Amino acid sequence: MSDISDIMDEEFSPDDEYLPGNIFAKEQALAIIGAPGIGKSLLLLQMAVCFLTGRPFLGWPIKKHEFSWLIFQTENNRRRLQNTLKAYKQWLSADEWKVIEERLLMPKLVEGFNSSFYLSDEENKRILRQMITPAQSGVIAFDPLARFRVGNLSTSDGMDATFNAFAELANCGMEGCSLIILHHALRGMEGIKRGFGFNRGSFGRDSGALVGCVRGQINLLPRDEEDNTKLAVICGKGNNGEEFKAFGIKLNRDTMIYEVDPSFDYQAFKATVAGEPVTHQKLTPKDVALLVTDIPLTKKDLVSSIMEERGCQKSNAYKAILTAEGVSIKRNEHGLYIPI
């Protein structure tokens, strides 16, 4: 049988696609990148909870999986983790919380002010191997990459060696084990500018070799210099499917869960970062009426037309229709919008 025949005959389960567009999937590596302190660790913890309980993650539907999550992290103290987990416990049902207690593993690796567990040390690698249970570990995460590094991350050799150490440890898990790597991006406006557009794949600090190792990359960018609970979520890389469109999230302080923020305007965000004037924020009733002058549209199609015409988010398109309705547009007998 030829190689092509082998490929064509192979069967794949839809359950192996963990996030839309295969940005994260079985036996694949995902990078989550953002500036220090932006909320990467918190988002990773939420992701684990959602996967283990089957709750939606950032608006994406999630199928509940039976494997465990093993998170190796060194920078977040136990008190902070406890406070977050207490909030999750209130958010979840008793049965869901029992699953979290059984399948979310977060071993203590460092003591005191030490926050490094370098995998250039063979003893450290041996310790981690002993913590990985082949029968359970479906996802293994390292948070952050720099604290587990092998060599100089500013070089391709150092980044490749570090990723290979992660991959070797992930293979200690059961067949189909997946890998998540959290990595720092540059701080400040220049760092943010690298998080979207043509530069989005090079968002991570140090060598750019990491983006070549992972199959998917999620970039987290701050949206408000005075409110660190608001983030922009950008697809930095999606090798195996369609990249997701940028969207905004906001932290619910009561549940410690990031929720999708429908008020986020991606085009306005990009213009702000670039220092350009935002020209599309206000859409007059007359502008809306022009879109239905030639062809009557359903509300859904009118929303799509506004978004395409002005590059705004869905929430702003709905607001524009609400403002225009009864002023410049109305519904005809078929329920379609037409000019007044």
Side-chain angles (χ1 to χ4, degrees):
M1 185 178 291
S2 70
D3 291 340
I4 296 299
S5 297
D6 286 341
I7 294 173
M8 296 301 292
D9 290 341
E10 193 167 355
E11 296 183 1
F12 299 95
S13 170
D15 292 343
D16 295 345
E17 181 179 336
Y18 299 157
L19 290 179
N22 266 318
I23 191 170
F24 182 48
K26 181 179 179 180
E27 298 180 338
Q28 293 185 13
L30 170 71
I32 300 176
I33 300 181
I38 199 172
K40 299 184 297 297
S41 300
L42 185 57
L43 192 72
L44 172 66
L45 196 56
Q46 177 179 335
M47 186 177 179
V49 168
C50 290
F51 271 68
L52 292 171
T53 61
R55 292 203 176 203
F57 173 64
L58 304 184
W60 289 316
I62 298 297
K63 176 178 172 56
K64 181 178 178 181
H65 291 272
E66 300 302 319
F67 50 64
S68 293
W69 278 58
L70 177 56
I71 298 177
F72 293 124
Q73 66 87 31
T74 64
E75 290 188 338
N76 301 293
N77 65 55
R78 311 290 278 188
R79 176 175 292 181
R80 174 185 169 183
L81 290 172
Q82 184 186 88
N83 290 337
T84 301
L85 290 170
K86 283 181 178 178
Y88 287 172
K89 187 174 182 179
Q90 295 298 316
W91 181 61
L92 300 170
S93 69
D95 288 341
E96 288 173 327
W97 180 249
K98 184 177 180 181
V99 172
I100 300 305
E101 289 185 316
E102 293 174 349
R103 295 185 185 155
L104 178 55
L105 312 174
M106 302 182 69
K108 188 175 184 179
L109 299 180
V110 296
E111 299 284 349
F113 293 105
N114 181 31
S115 60
S116 299
F117 202 83
Y118 298 137
L119 296 181
S120 52
D121 186 330
E122 287 298 324
E123 176 62 15
N124 285 345
K125 290 173 72 173
R126 185 192 67 79
I127 292 172
L128 295 193
R129 286 193 196 99
Q130 289 184 330
M131 294 179 177
I132 298 172
T133 305
Q136 294 181 330
S137 302
V139 176
I140 297 178
F142 292 88
D143 174 20
L145 179 152
R147 296 303 180 184
F148 296 90
R149 66 179 180 265
V150 179
N152 184 358
L153 293 180
S154 296
T155 67
S156 294
D157 288 344
M159 187 66 79
D160 283 339
T162 302
F163 180 83
N164 289 337
F166 292 156
E168 175 192 341
L169 289 166
N171 286 337
C172 296
M174 68 178 185
E175 181 182 356
C177 186
S178 302
L179 178 63
I180 299 179
I181 300 167
L182 272 59
H183 187 38
H184 294 322
L186 293 174
R187 290 180 181 270
M189 188 59 74
E190 289 307 310
I192 296 172
K193 289 179 180 179
R194 289 173 54 178
F196 58 88
F198 292 115
N199 291 323
R200 63 190 183 278
S202 61
F203 188 43
R205 186 186 292 177
D206 302 307
S207 167
L210 178 63
V211 71
C213 298
V214 300
R215 310 312 295 165
Q217 178 175 309
I218 295 175
N219 296 345
L220 300 178
L221 284 67
R223 291 164 44 196
D224 189 327
E225 62 182 348
E226 297 181 354
D227 185 353
N228 63 2
T229 67
K230 296 180 178 180
L231 303 177
V233 183
I234 312 291
C235 186
K237 179 181 181 180
N239 273 91
N240 299 321
E242 182 179 358
E243 295 188 1
F244 64 81
K245 293 183 179 180
F247 60 95
I249 57 176
K250 181 176 174 60
L251 181 65
N252 183 326
R253 288 288 190 184
D254 293 329
T255 62
M256 295 305 288
I257 292 294
Y258 282 105
E259 301 170 349
V260 175
D261 184 358
S263 69
F264 174 64
D265 188 323
Y266 181 47
Q267 298 302 325
F269 171 74
K270 290 199 300 181
T272 300
V273 173
E276 300 173 352
V278 180
T279 59
H280 66 272
Q281 285 183 310
K282 290 186 178 180
L283 195 67
T284 67
K286 183 178 179 180
D287 293 329
V288 177
L290 289 174
L291 296 174
V292 295
T293 297
D294 296 326
I295 303 175
L297 296 175
T298 65
K299 190 169 189 177
K300 179 179 179 182
D301 289 338
L302 181 53
V303 166
S304 298
S305 294
I306 293 172
M307 292 173 65
E308 183 177 351
E309 179 76 16
R310 294 303 179 99
C312 66
Q313 294 295 301
K314 184 181 293 186
S315 59
N316 287 334
Y318 275 110
K319 289 177 183 177
I321 294 173
L322 183 62
T323 302
E325 197 162 5
V327 177
S328 66
I329 61 174
K330 65 178 181 179
R331 292 180 189 259
N332 64 16
E333 65 274 16
H334 303 294
L336 303 177
Y337 281 108
I338 59 173
I340 293 178

